[in-house]
Amino acid sequence: MPDIVPGALHHPAFLDADAQKRLAQEIAEVIAAAPLFTSRMPKSGLPMSVRMTNCGPLGWMSDKEKGYRYAPRHPETGAPWPPIPQMLLDAWDALTGYPKPPEACLINVYSEDAKMGLHQDRDEADFDAPILSFSLGADCRFRLGGERRAEKTIAFTLCSGDALILSGPARLCFHGVDRVLPSILTPLPAPLAGQGARVNLTLRRVT
Ligand code: SIN
Ligand code: FE2
């Protein structure tokens, strides 16, 4: 697994086509129980271009009034988030070796014109645990920088089935998605067809 920068590990095609399809089925079931919603930027209240939902004991969200946070319930249905699929818990163990299971799995759904500005994942109390993400569907141009926003960044492509780990010295690196690349060649696996162009799952320890 190539280390892009120390602690940032890119595992191309970690999920084969069959695993991607099984994961897509699991995620479609999560979305059916916990519908996609739009988070808003703190203060400005501007909507984010990705739609999201979560599975696991805690889920990430943001709104104008209370800002970025983790919560145990869906903001619209009020129901607890569905559990994290076993195949993701197994992948967490296999890829991170971290002794405790993830507590949150954020599911970001990108339309073809969605993007995500450079940010750090720092709403968690535990920075020792890595962040593990999986991508499905369209490729994207992913940008990775250093621990300070002004540091130089690199860009590379994340494809369907890829895993990315931000751990150790890369745990607090700025990162974002410049753009989704044309999805003609890699549509989302059938169970997620019609939801968007790209799905990214991020597994995290929170407490
Ligand atoms: C994120 O940083 O929350 C998402 C990254 C991605 O979509 O690859
Ligand atoms: Fe992030």
Side-chain angles (χ1 to χ4, degrees):
M1 176 154 47
D3 242 34
I4 299 172
V5 299
L9 302 118
H10 181 200
H11 199 316
F14 176 78
L15 302 169
D16 64 17
D18 181 60
Q20 289 176 44
K21 203 157 169 214
R22 282 188 288 120
L23 181 56
Q25 179 61 40
E26 300 273 15
I27 299 311
E29 286 169 23
V30 170
I31 292 172
L36 295 171
F37 61 92
T38 299
S39 273
R40 293 178 173 271
M41 300 298 289
K43 297 194 188 107
S44 75
L46 288 171
M48 298 189 179
S49 63
V50 297
R51 289 181 308 145
M52 61 185 63
T53 189
N54 294 270
C55 50
L58 292 169
W60 189 90
M61 69 181 76
S62 174
D63 57 23
K64 185 175 189 297
E65 295 74 24
K66 293 194 201 156
Y68 303 147
R69 65 190 183 280
Y70 284 93
R73 287 172 183 273
H74 191 287
E76 288 162 11
T77 69
W81 307 105
I84 298 177
Q86 188 60 44
M87 69 179 289
L88 289 175
L89 299 175
D90 293 345
W92 169 272
D93 288 344
L95 283 169
T96 73
Y98 194 75
K100 296 183 203 153
E103 295 168 298
C105 174
L106 171 63
I107 301 167
N108 283 313
V109 178
Y110 293 74
S111 57
E112 285 191 18
D113 54 5
K115 45 178 163 262
M116 188 173 291
L118 268 192
H119 66 276
Q120 290 170 299
D121 288 359
R122 54 176 317 135
D123 303 318
E124 302 76 31
D126 179 0
F127 295 145
D128 291 337
I131 300 270
L132 169 61
S133 90
F134 293 101
S135 295
L136 290 175
D139 296 355
C140 80
R141 198 81 183 134
F142 187 86
R143 191 163 288 281
L144 182 65
E147 285 195 14
R148 283 172 299 123
R149 189 180 283 279
E151 274 174 66
K152 85 167 173 41
T153 61
I154 55 164
F156 53 96
T157 301
L158 283 182
C159 304
S160 198
D162 287 9
L164 180 71
I165 301 172
L166 296 182
S167 64
R171 171 63 184 78
L172 286 171
C173 282
F174 276 87
H175 60 277
V177 171
D178 290 355
R179 62 194 178 98
V180 172
L181 300 169
S183 59
I184 303 149
L185 295 177
T186 322
L188 279 170
L192 286 169
Q195 297 285 3
R198 171 176 187 262
V199 172
N200 179 264
L201 314 170
T202 317
L203 296 158
R204 301 150 180 193
R205 275 305 290 176
V206 178
T207 57

